[in-house]
Amino acid sequence: MNRTVVRTIPFFSYPALFARQREEILSTVERVLSAGKLILQEDLEQFEANLARYLGVKYAFGVGNGTDGLLIALMAAGVGRGDEVIMPSHTFIATGAAVHHAGATPVLADCRDDHLIDPTSVRAKVTKRTKVIVPVQLNGRTCEMDALQEIAEEHDLVVVEDAAQGLGSEYGGRKAGTFGRAAMFSFYPAKVLGCFGDGGGVVTNDDGVADRIKTLRNHGRMDDGDVSGWSFNSRLDNIQAALLDLKLKSFPEEVSRRRTLAALYHQHLKGIAGLRLPPDSRSDPRHFDVYQNYEVEADGRDDLREYLKVNGVHTILQWGGKAIHHFPALGFKVDLPVTERIIARSFLLPMNTSLSDDDIAYICYLINDFYRG
Ligand SMILES: *Cc1c(COP(=O)(O)O)cnc(C)c1O
């Protein structure tokens, strides 16, 4: 690596993403706008059918965003006032907000070294009010679902997945989003399958849950014109649905490229004692990871980030470097030692399909240089 070649590597480049598919994107938007079919039309139905087929589920519904999607999934699964919902604290605030707005109480569990929810911690948090477990399929990896499902079966709990970051990832040959009574995906622009605005999906195999999801996202309005109860408006618009359908066609290649980038990071960084890397894609055959994020733990994290920054490489702290129980306004008092360690030590290296192999080599060169001192 020629150290004198200075690069600027943004954490994420939306313009690059657009530029790569410019013609197809513009012609898709042109087609939808010319047809004038904007809300709850064919393009949405087609994307929903293709998403359901990709996942191997019976039903998929487009919604306004992932957060609404989780709220709708929880409501459709029967969560309500007085229920406790066990979820990780190491997640986006949206996971907890959806639980809260469903009327239930979020109960925060610890995570494991792979940064995903720890089934042992979940088990310790079960009370007689517990109704649901919300595993968060974080960083493009699916939780250890057999352990969680065992707990759910033992205590008669429902599983609803926050798979906002998990589309395409698998555990034991099954895709994220297919384990729970219902599951949510986010199509926020920086997600593995991103649209060009806000968007989300809710999936299920259950006929009754599917009916409720469809009704809840559209003012509680049922097919016969009656209303099932108070609801809200959270629909995926047809332009975004058409663009998502376009991107879904090349999604397996996107995933494969992310896995190649992760393997490159692993190869260049695995020898550094001060770093803890995400699990390598070959380390556990039960997991198939899609690397939504590449979240590393690092000795001297803040200095390393600064060193990368002055050399043109932009990194971020996921959620600004706070777990849910770190927000004083929310009033949580919990002891989550692994989460504390992860929050204190981790950050996100650039991980997206606009990166070249050379970009990864440059980033890794800098990191090796930093630890050599
Ligand atoms: C992105 C994300 C959400 C929320 O999705 P939006 O589409 O932005 O509402 C929820 N949970 C997790 C883990 C996320 O990463």
Side-chain angles (χ1 to χ4, degrees), residues 89-210:
S89 183
H90 183 54
T91 183
F92 187 36
I93 185 66
T95 315
V99 170
H100 171 81
H101 290 300
T105 305
V107 173
L108 303 178
D110 210 353
C111 42
R112 292 203 296 211
D113 284 350
D114 70 355
H115 299 190
L116 273 61
I117 197 167
D118 180 357
T120 308
S121 175
V122 171
R123 188 182 285 282
K125 305 263 170 180
V126 175
T127 72
K128 45 184 198 313
R129 295 163 81 97
T130 308
K131 173 102 177 225
V132 177
I133 302 171
V134 176
V136 176
Q137 319 295 21
L138 197 69
N139 294 334
R141 181 175 172 89
T142 304
C143 300
E144 195 185 323
M145 293 306 299
D146 51 7
L148 293 170
Q149 280 176 308
E150 200 181 295
I151 299 167
E153 266 159 46
E154 232 170 85
H155 297 277
D156 201 18
L157 309 176
V158 173
V159 171
V160 174
E161 295 166 70
D162 177 339
Q165 299 193 359
L167 185 68
S169 72
E170 297 176 19
Y171 177 82
R174 268 174 80 178
K175 283 195 163 68
T178 68
F179 294 90
R181 182 76 51 86
M184 165 278 270
F185 295 98
S186 168
F187 306 127
Y188 181 84
K191 299 288 158 97
V192 276
L193 181 68
C195 60
F196 293 85
D198 276 312
V202 186
V203 304
T204 185
N205 281 312
D206 183 299
D207 299 345
V209 171

Side-chain angles (χ1 to χ4, degrees), residues 32-50:
V32 175
L33 292 185
S34 301
K37 296 189 170 166
L38 303 177
I39 301 284
L40 295 180
Q41 302 291 320
E42 245 170 72
D43 286 298
L44 175 64
E45 285 165 21
Q46 196 180 319
F47 170 62
E48 290 172 339
N50 287 333

Side-chain angles (χ1 to χ4, degrees), residues 197-220:
D198 276 312
V202 186
V203 304
T204 185
N205 281 312
D206 183 299
D207 299 345
V209 171
D211 272 347
R212 289 194 287 280
I213 293 167
K214 193 173 171 204
T215 305
L216 282 165
R217 74 165 172 183
N218 190 27
H219 305 287

